[in-house]
Structure formats: C-alpha cells, structure tokens
Amino acid sequence: MARTTAAGQANFSIPDRIPITLIVNGTERNLNVVPWTSLLDALREHLDLTGTKKGCDHGQCGACTVLVDGRRINSCLTLAVMKDGAKVTTIEGLAADGTLHPLQQAFIDHDAFQCGYCTPGQICSAAGLLAEGRAKTPDEIRELMSGNICRCAAYPNIVAAIQQAMGAS
Amino acid sequence: MINFQYTRASDVADAVRQIAADPTSKFIAGGTNLLDLMKDDIEQPSRLIDISQLPLKSIDGTDDGGLRIGALVPNADLAWHPLIEQRYPLLSRAILAGASQQLRNMASTGGNLLQRTRCFYFYDTATPCNKREPGTACSAMKGLNRGNAILGTSDACIATHPSDMCVALAALDAKVHIAGPAGERSMALTDFHRLPGDMPQRDTNLAPNEIVIAVELPAQGFANNYTYLKIRDRHSYAFALVSVAVGLELDGNGIRRARLALGGVAHKPWRDKSAEAVLEGQAAGPAVFARAADLLLRDAKGFGHNTFKIDLARRAIMRALTQAARGTPQSISSKKIA
C-alpha cells in the first residue's frame, strides 16, 4: 500500500471552510475553519488565546487541556468542527471579575510551577477534577492528574495547590 | 496530517451509507487515537465521517438482566456510571487504569475497541511494519520489543492490542453489536479482535462498511470477587506490559465460575477457557492458580526484550487470582500491589 504524499493528493479538492460557533469563556465566537484545524489551533491561531499551550500535540502531555461543556479534554486531539456550539473554557476564562480562580491563587500560594508552560493545562485539568468530585486523597489527585506532565517536576506543590483549592470549594 | 474532507452522519443508516460509498473514509467519534495517528501520517483517510452526534450514548438494561452500552458512551462516563461501578466494577477499574482523565472524557466505547497498536514500529514511519504497510517486514521482531506480544504472534507481526477496557470486556463475556448495509449482527468480544496471522493490517473482524453500535454485558458482573491488575513501566498513564482481568464466582472457598483474561500480551485480549475450566470446581489456592497460569501461558514465546513478560504474566495471574479470591481488588490510585 503506497503511502499518500502531498503530490499524491494532487486531485484533492480543498474543502470549503466550515462555519462554526464556539462559546469561548462566555463569549460567542464565529469562526471559519478547515476540517483539520484542531480545537487547540482554533483557540491559539484563530482567536489569539495563547494561554492554552501546545506541548506534544499528541495527547500525551496535557498542556493543551481546556474545559469543553465543563469537561476537561485535550484540545490538540479534538477537531474544532466537531465542537460546533460547545462552551469552551480556557485559562483566560477562569478568573472572574478580576479575582483569580481559587486554583490560580493556590498555584501561586504553593509555587506550583517553575517554567510555567504546563500550568494553564494543569489548572484547567484541576478545574475539571474539582468538578468531577472524585479525587479526595493525594493519591487520587495524583492518579487523576496523571494526564498532565510537568517537566520541572513541581508535582508535590501541584498536589498541595489542588488540595488547597479543594478545601476552599 | 494530510488534508481531508469532513461530513457528519445524521443517523446510523446514513453513517453506514457514507462509509460504504467511500472506502477511503473513516468514522471519527472521540478522535483520541485516530487524530494522533493522522498527525503522524499513519492513518490517511480522505474523509472523516463525524458520528459523534449519533444517538448511541445511553446505557440501558437488557431483558436478560444485563446492560447495553451505546458505542458513543465516553470511557469516563462508563467507568463512573453507578450501575457499572456497582455491578461491573472490573470494567470500571480496567477503564480507569487506562489513559488519562482528559482522554477518557473524549474516547468512546466503540473507539476503545478499535484502538490501534502502540508498537513503536507501527508509529515509526521510517521503519518497515507489516501492519502499517503489509508485505514490508516486522521491525519489532528483532527490534525494541519490550512492549510486544508473547502469545498468538505470527511471523508477520508481534503487536499487542493496547486496550484495558477490552480485557475486562473479554473476561465479562461481552458482546459487540454491529450495524452494516445488510442490517445488524453481533459477535462475542473475544471474536471481535483477531490474531495477526498473515494479515496483521486487520485488527478486527469488523467489515470496512460496518459500524459498532453497542457493547452488551451479560447479567453476571463478578462484583464480589474480581480484580484488574495492570503492570506497567510507569505507575499511571502508561500502557500495560501485562494486565490481568479476573472475575470469580465463589461458594465459600470453592470456585464455581472463573473468568480470566490477559492484556498487553497479544494482538487481542487473551482468554483461554481451558485455564478457567481448571479453576472451576476447585478450592481457590496457589496450586490451582499456578495450573491456570501454566495453561494460559503454555504457548508463550518471547522475542528478547519482552521475554521477561512470560514470567511477569505468570506472577501477575497468580497475584490477580489471589486478589479476586480474597475480595481485595487492586486499587487504581494506590499503586501498592496488595
């Protein structure tokens, strides 16, 4: 089976851009995207919401975690066209009226990062974890946060920060 | 990732019509495996047919006391569904042992069945792979094969099926419901996945123009005596080196019924009814557990880096049977193996 190359796609007709609506951090945003635009690229490149980070782009690192209809997902493994009409919350949308989200404050209080690149994903993932209400113990927090990698290894402080936010909520 | 067209399916019949009309198209539901493979040009569909909005998202009771799980029920919702947690905790724990919560929130039940292997060489387009490009070679056979299969391999392929959920479904005697141009059919989960043989490019017995619509569980969920024991290189968010799903129905210390399936060791969840037969009617204990392990692994064959899996699997089977018989299933969050 020959592998398709760019040249082999010569007869491919570029599909029309598909109009979609995303409710991003409470605001309705209308976009026209090609089918292969990931939700991550739609947020970063079309909407200039660069708080959500592209790490591995393969669902392995968790840096791209956002909340879609209240659930945490990897935005890099999601096509924007498949989320037409969805409510998306990114790190830019967590603070309300100038007050940091309890998780954002807890990450500062516990110094739960070094370079900060994974932090938006960590915080959005933790927001999803709080909403799920399943993690009670540090072991359970670690297990349910295992989809977010921190190469600076701030893990103990991340767990402490989440515990603080859990106590506050 | 190559460019592709995108359409939505309006119902199951429309999905089947669309896939039958264009053999180079693929269904997309959660997308967690397919988009990953497309980004590496391993999958190159000309068209994605979005089935994510089809009404296949419910979990319903069946006439014979079991449950029918819609193919689009997300893995996370299935694992945490009250009926699954109460009646099929083996399935719940197996699902929670796999992937991350973000992925489980996206991944669908049907898509989990259709995951492709995580063999390094399948993913590495610079190397030959009979599964990716039939007729080239198996690079894993003499390569870095720590994660590869020890059972049911062929000269063409030593890939494993990566799912945890399917290992539990195999042990639980689940059935897969399928729709196609000729109507609906069903098959045992254990018949759904296939061994590589000389056609390793085919992972399952699903025809190209068919769609998985549901997975059905029988009434018996082995909720009292079960375990899902997963051994891996990293404590969380890693594929199994070896996993063991066990369900026992006990009468005192006597084993009335036994279900046993292995993950991480073959091209499909590995179940051998002779190993279950040797347990049934016997008192639970190490001697009979060892006989079951011997039977399950009697044809096991290593390829160098993965040869340790034979001994690891034997010990994992013994430990899992002990956990299930004692009613002390392996915890997902505490990594200590009890």
Side-chain angles (χ1 to χ4, degrees):
Chain A
M1 187 169 62
R3 290 167 48 69
T4 309
T5 60
Q9 276 202 292
N11 295 328
F12 180 86
S13 59
I14 303 264
D16 291 335
R17 285 178 178 260
I18 300 168
I20 60 165
T21 302
L22 299 173
I23 297 116
V24 183
N25 300 328
T27 305
E28 197 174 297
R29 308 292 297 264
N30 297 307
L31 302 172
N32 290 301
V33 293
V34 286
W36 48 91
T37 307
S38 67
L39 177 60
L40 174 61
D41 286 344
L43 292 169
R44 288 181 57 87
E45 309 297 333
H46 291 246
L47 299 174
D48 294 329
L49 290 168
T50 53
T52 307
K53 297 294 184 258
K54 184 179 280 195
C56 67
D57 209 25
H58 284 274
Q60 296 176 8
C61 75
C64 69
T65 303
V66 299
L67 300 166
V68 170
D69 295 328
R71 296 157 65 94
R72 49 177 164 155
I73 66 163
N74 302 107
S75 60
C76 74
L77 289 183
T78 305
L79 295 178
V81 283
M82 293 178 70
K83 296 299 163 194
D84 188 18
K87 292 193 178 89
V88 183
T89 305
T90 69
I91 189 70
E92 291 93 342
L94 283 180
D97 304 324
T99 307
L100 291 180
H101 185 280
L103 277 164
Q104 291 173 310
Q105 188 59 52
F107 269 62
I108 294 169
D109 293 347
H110 289 271
D111 197 17
F113 42 77
Q114 287 182 43
C115 82
Y117 195 82
C118 73
T119 311
Q122 296 278 0
I123 290 179
C124 285
S125 186
L129 173 130
L130 294 187
E132 289 151 14
R134 289 286 176 149
K136 310 279 186 217
T137 66
D139 271 351
E140 288 165 349
I141 293 171
R142 276 188 280 271
E143 172 60 29
L144 287 171
M145 287 295 291
S146 68
N148 293 84
I149 310 297
C150 172
R151 276 296 75 121
C152 307
Y155 297 114
N157 298 15
I158 292 169
V159 172
I162 294 171
Q163 282 184 286
Q164 175 180 311
M166 208 174 261
S169 64
Chain B
M1 183 153 63
I2 66 164
N3 296 347
F4 56 87
Q5 308 282 343
Y6 170 84
T7 55
R8 296 186 179 119
S10 56
D11 55 30
V12 170
D14 180 45
V16 169
R17 260 196 309 276
Q18 286 199 41
I19 200 112
D22 182 358
T24 63
S25 61
K26 275 198 172 291
F27 292 132
I28 185 164
T32 55
N33 190 213
L34 179 58
L35 291 175
D36 184 34
L37 291 166
M38 286 171 67
K39 287 182 183 196
D40 282 340
D41 283 344
I42 297 158
E43 296 278 8
Q44 301 186 326
S46 65
R47 171 190 304 269
L48 289 184
I49 304 164
D50 182 356
I51 56 167
S52 65
Q53 301 309 313
L54 298 185
L56 302 171
K57 292 178 182 164
S58 64
I59 299 176
D60 304 302
T62 60
D63 291 343
D64 58 4
L67 287 181
R68 185 180 162 114
I69 302 154
L72 291 171
V73 174
N75 289 179
D77 297 33
L78 183 57
W80 284 341
H81 191 282
L83 286 176
I84 300 295
E85 287 191 304
Q86 287 156 25
R87 294 178 48 195
Y88 306 94
L90 168 58
L91 177 59
S92 178
R93 297 223 181 173
I95 294 169
L96 294 173
S100 67
Q101 183 62 21
Q102 288 98 313
L103 291 168
R104 291 191 295 266
N105 275 337
M106 305 160 77
S108 67
T109 302
N112 191 309
L113 266 56
L114 295 166
Q115 281 182 85
R116 308 218 64 196
T117 186
R118 295 284 168 162
C119 177
F120 298 151
Y121 300 97
F122 179 69
Y123 265 80
D124 181 0
T125 54
T127 60
C129 166
N130 284 326
K131 184 180 277 296
R132 180 167 29 79
E133 292 181 68
T136 52
C138 173
S139 301
M141 203 85 66
K142 290 181 178 162
L144 296 172
N145 51 40
R146 180 176 174 82
N148 288 76
I150 54 170
L151 286 162
T153 55
S154 73
D155 291 341
C157 183
I158 59 170
T160 59
H161 192 257
S163 171
D164 291 295
M165 184 183 92
C166 291
V167 183
L169 290 177
L172 290 167
D173 284 317
K175 246 186 339 196
V176 184
H177 291 278
I178 294 162
E184 294 187 13
R185 65 180 181 129
S186 66
M187 67 171 82
L189 187 281
T190 48
D191 295 330
F192 183 79
H193 300 99
R194 54 187 300 284
L195 291 178
D198 57 4
M199 286 175 57
Q201 67 273 27
R202 287 194 61 199
D203 295 346
T204 71
N205 290 312
L206 190 73
N209 55 8
E210 289 183 313
I211 181 171
V212 175
I213 52 172
V215 171
E216 186 180 330
L217 295 171
Q220 172 59 275
F222 301 96
N224 294 324
N225 294 91
Y226 72 93
T227 198
Y228 188 72
L229 178 61
K230 180 176 180 180
I231 312 291
R232 43 189 156 171
D233 281 333
R234 193 167 60 199
H235 273 335
S236 184
Y237 199 16
F239 292 97
L241 291 168
V242 169
S243 71
V244 189
V246 179
L248 298 176
E249 194 183 304
L250 296 181
D251 183 3
N253 194 40
I255 301 170
R256 198 183 291 144
R257 278 214 278 176
R259 295 290 179 270
L260 190 52
L262 304 182
V265 295
H267 202 256
K268 59 186 288 188
W270 194 260
R271 213 179 132 183
D272 184 334
K273 288 187 179 169
S274 70
E276 295 163 16
V278 86
L279 291 166
E280 289 172 351
Q282 305 295 316
V288 71
F289 294 168
R291 279 167 57 205
D294 288 343
L295 277 169
L296 265 164
L297 298 167
R298 63 177 178 262
D299 296 323
K301 177 184 160 195
F303 294 86
H305 293 282
N306 73 345
T307 306
F308 75 100
K309 278 192 180 188
I310 302 171
D311 197 30
L312 181 66
R314 192 170 192 284
R315 289 160 188 252
I317 293 164
M318 298 282 293
R319 189 68 70 98
L321 283 166
T322 306
Q323 290 182 342
R326 285 184 186 154
T328 54
Q330 177 62 37
S331 163
I332 296 299
S333 53
S334 163
K335 304 303 179 183
K336 223 173 178 178
I337 295 171

